[in-house]
Amino acid sequence: PEDWLIAFMVGGAVAVLQIILASMLSRGRPLNRLLLGVNAYLAVGGLSALTSQLWILQMLDHLRESGLFLCILAVGVLTTLVSKAGFVGQVESHAQARTKCYSLALLGLATVATIPSFLIRGQLIFSAVIPLTLLTITNRRLVSRIQRS
């Protein structure tokens, strides 16, 4: 098998294990939504490689880092709509409105962060590393603001 197939299989297996372990150790706290998006991307790739779904693998190969951000956006939309912790991943009963507002803001920023992944595909520093780092820093600051309120 090609190296990238093996990489997706290993990455997918590690992603699933990480989600399981994080769920077991979270003590009821919400899992990091950005990390869930990254792990979803790896799990989709791993499952596709394992089941020989070449069309999905070809799509991921074509999307490159954009696929990663699309998975983060999917997690963001889903958690903003159906989770009390929202996309920011913070449950504070006295700050539900703030959590929803910050989740929408983080979702907007994630949408903006996705743009470079399409425009300068393959330039990992500018299309993935910097936008993902900014999302992570922003998420931490928003969680901190919710906790202080």
Side-chain angles (χ1 to χ4, degrees):
E2 295 189 35
D3 289 342
W4 61 278
L5 287 174
I6 293 170
F8 263 127
M9 283 192 257
V10 171
V14 170
V16 170
L17 285 174
Q18 183 178 25
I19 290 171
I20 292 169
L21 285 172
S23 296
M24 291 171 36
L25 299 172
S26 70
R27 296 186 207 126
R29 291 186 315 253
L31 300 177
N32 181 297
R33 305 325 198 190
L34 300 174
L35 190 56
L36 278 176
V38 171
N39 283 332
Y41 172 79
L42 292 171
V44 166
L47 187 59
S48 300
L50 190 63
T51 59
S52 299
Q53 298 299 312
L54 295 179
W55 68 276
I56 296 174
L57 293 169
Q58 289 170 340
M59 182 179 62
L60 291 176
D61 182 50
H62 174 72
L63 287 171
R64 296 183 177 233
E65 56 274 19
S66 301
L68 176 74
F69 281 99
L70 291 175
C71 285
I72 289 171
L73 283 172
V75 168
V77 168
L78 185 65
T79 56
T80 297
L81 293 176
V82 301
S83 169
K84 285 184 180 183
F87 189 23
V88 292
Q90 183 63 38
V91 179
E92 296 288 339
S93 58
H94 66 279
Q96 279 304 124
R98 187 173 284 202
T99 296
K100 184 65 84 174
C101 180
Y102 286 175
S103 291
L104 290 170
L106 189 62
L107 191 55
L109 184 59
T111 302
V112 171
T114 302
I115 294 169
S117 72
F118 280 102
L119 296 178
I120 50 177
R121 192 174 300 147
Q123 301 292 321
L124 291 179
I125 297 295
F126 297 105
S127 65
V129 174
I130 292 172
L132 192 54
T133 301
L134 291 174
L135 279 175
T136 302
I137 291 168
T138 302
N139 188 44
R140 286 185 183 167
R141 294 188 114 199
L142 293 174
V143 166
S144 177
R145 290 181 78 175
I146 291 170
Q147 289 172 338
R148 286 193 313 252
S149 65

